[in-house]
Amino acid sequence: MIASLRADGLKMRKRWANWIMVAILLAWLVLLVYALLYLVVKTQPASLRGSQVPASVLIRQIFPENFIPTVLSTAASIGAAIMIIFGALSTASEYGWSTVQTILIQKPGRTAVLGGKGLALFVATVLISIAALAVSALSAYVVVTVDGSSSSWPAATEIVKGFGALILQLAVWAAFGAFLGIAFRSTAAAIGGGLVYLFVGEALLGSLFRTAPVIKDVLKLLPGINASGVNGAFRLTYTNPSNQVPLVDPTHGVITLLVYLVAFTVLSLLIFRRRDVGGG
Amino acid sequence: MGMAQSYAVETHGLSKRYATGVLAVNNLDLRVRTGEVYGFLGPNGAGKTTTLRMLSGLLRPTSGTATVAGGAPGSPASLAQLGAMVETPAFYPYLSGRDNLRVMARYSSVQKSRIEPVLQQVDMTDRARHKFKTYSTGMKQRLGVASALLKDPQLLILDEPTSGLDPQGTVEMRELIKDLRQGGRTVLLSSHLLNEVELTCDRVGVIARGSLVAEGTVDELRARSGGQALLVRASPIDQARRMLESLLKPDQVQLRDGLFTLAVGPSQAAAINRRLVADGVDVTELRVAEQSLEDVFLQLTEKQP
């Protein structure tokens, strides 16, 4: 499995598409979260003037004291999308290029090949999480410095917990993408299916039907809703009445995400081990 | 690990029926001796690639058993001794040839130091730094062979290795295949090109519609399929024809471009020559015409229902 991990690590490192996706995630954080919110708050457009939270308080979202909830909310949207693509590319491309057959006639068995790939994806997830946290923290520091305000950093334990929450949800989305890649054997279908699920299945339907009696209970089982539940444990230092209350509590969220992580991994392995490669 | 068994590949009743219902391989019994170059010959769609995929562990047989390099197909023990290039060589287009081999070396737990020798062996050192997606068909085939050689395997499976190559590339690949057998290595080579197997293989197995229809050396196959004929050039032609048709059955005598083809063995050559000369016919050419492998192949594969 270590041999497969090393091989997959080399492939991931040398693939530009992976670096571009990481760059998009980090650029999104810097430009569309920190820079944009700072500009919006500072210029105070008409829409903001009617906000229940004054601009002087709202800007604290991008101060160091809130960098953990800010990076987690980014992870729940664009981060999830990036990781679905990341996971899907890592598995579906092997089918698209037919390299899966070249790999499988090397020494390791199928379990070791997929195990190595899973480990490589996990290592990449950890590194991406570190990069996202670091960029978020740096951006927050720059904002508060430029603004001339003061802010405190969260406690170390809070940062560690936030790091764990970030890794967990990004890993679930990466595993989801990898599973779709193996199930569909097509990069386009895996990415398309994953993103449609994320943005239509979870985000759109989740917000439309979150109060409907029966559907609400179904929504509580979905990974995105549970990721939001986990993120709910990391509250902003001010209260924003327009923020939605999570449907599930953080413990429920963590357990459900872990179940999803195991389920996607096991299902991927079952399909990968049993399915013929080529022919027919 | 050395291979103690006398067969590098052995299958018993190997069959593969796809989900579509197509029976691609039907009850195949194949034995490839250790150290030989074995040609797996058959027309397109005969089941060659499906068989090789099963031997490599990529496809699971519907029924039957196989032992490949001392282990079950696809098992780590078997894969450790197997180098294979099945169908089109598939590599990562964004990586260079050398990096692709680095990836495969890592999968196989092979030392990085093996990469340069195998690149040299397939004459790809100069192009190894270029991306795989820029390679010509010939270079892709060479890289495929290089990848198969990384483990220095005891058994090499090559599926249509000259497919898509130009004549020069084909000749070079053939020479390479001949070199690959050195050190007691077994090579299982599939092809639909008769010339290729005739020039490179010790023994040949002919597969048609998923079944093995003949197996042996090229000469054995020729003999089995009806063997040889006599070619005679003589004049005057009309007198020679009358003479030959009276001597043999009319359907054993064919005339084309002034050359008689007689469907008889070489043992009758002297008698025919004596008879023609005695009747005043000048015999200017008399030789044995060996049936081409192509004829043998067509005969064997067309016999199947």
Side-chain angles (χ1 to χ4, degrees):
Chain A
M1 198 174 289
I2 297 301
S4 303
L5 167 66
R6 291 182 65 233
D8 251 291
L10 177 60
K11 285 187 282 179
M12 275 187 187
R13 190 160 51 83
K14 293 260 181 178
R15 192 171 185 181
W16 271 104
N18 293 336
W19 291 106
I20 289 170
M21 283 187 299
V22 174
I24 289 172
L25 176 63
L26 299 183
W28 187 286
L29 258 176
V30 174
L31 300 175
L32 297 181
V33 176
Y34 282 93
L36 185 67
L37 187 59
Y38 183 75
L39 288 175
V40 167
V41 170
K42 284 296 167 188
T43 54
Q44 292 201 37
S47 59
L48 195 62
R49 278 177 220 133
S51 168
Q52 294 172 294
V53 182
S56 58
V57 175
L58 198 59
I59 198 173
R60 304 205 75 80
Q61 185 183 334
I62 49 175
F63 282 178
E65 64 204 42
N66 285 317
F67 90 94
I68 294 286
T70 300
V71 76
L72 285 174
S73 69
T74 306
S77 54
I78 185 70
I82 292 282
M83 295 312 287
I84 286 173
I85 298 171
F86 201 79
L89 282 180
S90 78
T91 52
S93 297
E94 304 282 8
Y95 291 97
W97 294 323
S98 298
T99 43
V100 63
Q101 72 176 35
T102 312
I103 293 172
L104 291 181
I105 50 183
Q106 306 306 318
K107 201 170 166 186
R110 293 188 179 204
T111 305
V113 165
L114 195 65
K117 191 175 278 296
L119 281 178
L121 267 176
F122 184 74
V123 170
T125 303
V126 171
L127 294 176
I128 289 170
S129 301
I130 291 171
L133 277 177
V135 165
S136 188
L138 184 64
S139 302
Y141 174 76
V142 170
V143 166
V144 79
T145 305
V146 168
D147 196 58
S149 304
S150 63
S151 176
S152 57
W153 292 96
T157 51
E158 195 72 357
I159 295 174
V160 172
K161 282 182 191 170
F163 181 49
L166 185 60
I167 290 174
L168 177 61
Q169 57 187 287
L170 292 186
V172 168
W173 291 120
F176 178 51
F179 163 71
L180 291 177
I182 290 172
F184 292 145
R185 286 178 284 185
S186 154
T187 310
I191 292 175
L195 295 185
V196 165
Y197 171 77
L198 180 67
F199 291 121
V200 179
E202 287 245 11
L204 186 62
L205 299 182
S207 59
L208 286 177
F209 297 107
R210 59 184 288 121
T211 52
V214 180
I215 299 174
K216 185 180 169 184
D217 292 332
V218 176
L219 291 176
K220 286 179 181 174
L221 300 175
L222 302 183
I225 298 294
N226 282 279
S228 299
V230 173
N231 294 347
F234 303 89
R235 297 184 189 283
L236 294 167
T237 52
Y238 62 91
T239 304
N240 188 344
S242 64
N243 283 354
Q244 287 181 330
V245 178
L247 281 177
V248 298
D249 63 70
T251 308
H252 182 284
V254 168
I255 292 169
T256 310
L257 288 183
L258 285 172
V259 169
Y260 270 110
L261 189 59
V262 172
F264 289 139
T265 306
V266 170
L267 283 174
S268 300
L269 192 59
L270 284 176
I271 298 172
F272 191 71
R273 275 179 57 87
R274 294 183 60 83
R275 192 158 58 190
D276 283 344
V277 175
Chain B
M1 187 186 87
M3 287 185 295
Q5 81 280 8
S6 55
Y7 295 112
V9 176
E10 195 170 4
T11 73
H12 295 286
L14 199 66
S15 298
K16 179 66 185 179
R17 186 182 290 279
Y18 287 117
T20 54
V22 173
L23 183 62
V25 175
N26 183 16
N27 206 28
L28 183 72
D29 291 325
L30 190 71
R31 283 176 189 81
V32 180
R33 295 172 188 154
T34 302
E36 73 175 348
V37 179
Y38 185 95
F40 197 38
L41 194 61
N44 291 330
K48 300 188 297 296
T49 299
T50 298
T51 302
L52 298 189
R53 283 184 183 280
M54 284 193 282
L55 297 180
S56 306
L58 297 173
L59 295 181
R60 286 185 308 167
T62 309
S63 61
T65 58
T67 307
V68 179
S75 66
S78 168
L79 291 174
Q81 296 297 322
L82 172 71
M85 182 179 79
V86 181
E87 233 169 9
T88 315
F91 291 99
Y92 301 95
Y94 62 92
L95 292 180
S96 68
R98 186 175 279 111
D99 279 342
N100 267 297
L101 292 185
R102 280 178 69 196
V103 169
M104 297 311 155
R106 287 186 177 192
Y107 273 118
S108 302
S109 303
V110 167
Q111 290 294 317
K112 206 165 61 173
S113 57
R114 271 291 294 163
I115 293 172
E116 293 310 316
V118 297
L119 281 170
Q120 256 177 347
Q121 202 169 351
V122 300
D123 198 20
M124 277 289 290
T125 306
D126 292 344
R127 292 300 304 273
R129 69 181 189 283
H130 296 122
K131 285 191 164 58
F132 178 74
K133 65 183 172 190
T134 67
Y135 284 4
S136 67
T137 307
M139 287 190 279
K140 288 176 180 173
Q141 297 282 78
R142 284 169 180 278
L143 192 69
V145 175
S147 170
L149 288 171
L150 267 177
K151 286 179 275 184
D152 194 13
Q154 284 301 300
L155 171 64
L156 202 54
I157 291 179
L158 301 175
D159 186 14
E160 307 267 4
T162 59
S163 172
L165 297 186
D166 59 21
Q168 174 70 22
T170 303
V171 170
E172 287 172 6
M173 184 60 80
R174 266 189 214 134
E175 291 305 313
L176 178 62
I177 292 166
K178 282 180 186 170
D179 290 344
L180 295 179
R181 68 181 309 172
Q182 286 172 3
R185 183 181 282 136
T186 308
V187 181
L188 171 54
L189 168 79
S190 97
S191 181
H192 66 278
L193 301 174
L194 309 164
N195 193 29
E196 184 168 289
V197 296
E198 190 166 21
L199 291 171
T200 51
C201 299
D202 301 316
R203 289 198 311 137
V204 175
V206 181
I207 185 173
R209 294 174 186 84
S211 300
L212 197 68
V213 294
E215 191 177 46
T217 64
V218 171
D219 287 341
E220 284 170 354
L221 293 187
R222 279 203 183 99
R224 197 179 306 172
S225 67
Q228 298 147 316
L230 286 180
L231 296 177
V232 178
R233 198 179 296 277
S235 64
I237 286 178
D238 289 343
Q239 191 182 341
R241 180 200 284 262
R242 277 195 301 277
M243 186 65 243
L244 290 169
E245 285 180 350
S246 69
L247 196 63
L248 306 168
K249 295 174 188 166
D251 63 350
Q252 287 181 297
V253 181
Q254 285 187 333
L255 178 64
R256 182 190 266 182
D257 299 331
L259 187 69
F260 290 102
T261 302
L262 310 179
V264 294
S267 60
Q268 295 189 54
I272 289 169
N273 184 40
R274 271 198 304 273
R275 187 67 185 272
L276 288 169
V277 172
D279 279 21
V281 174
D282 292 333
V283 178
T284 55
E285 185 180 346
L286 175 60
R287 62 186 164 90
V288 175
E290 285 196 336
Q291 208 173 9
S292 72
L293 188 54
E294 193 169 327
D295 296 330
V296 175
F297 178 74
L298 288 172
Q299 214 172 325
L300 288 169
T301 54
E302 283 172 1
K303 269 182 191 167
Q304 297 306 300

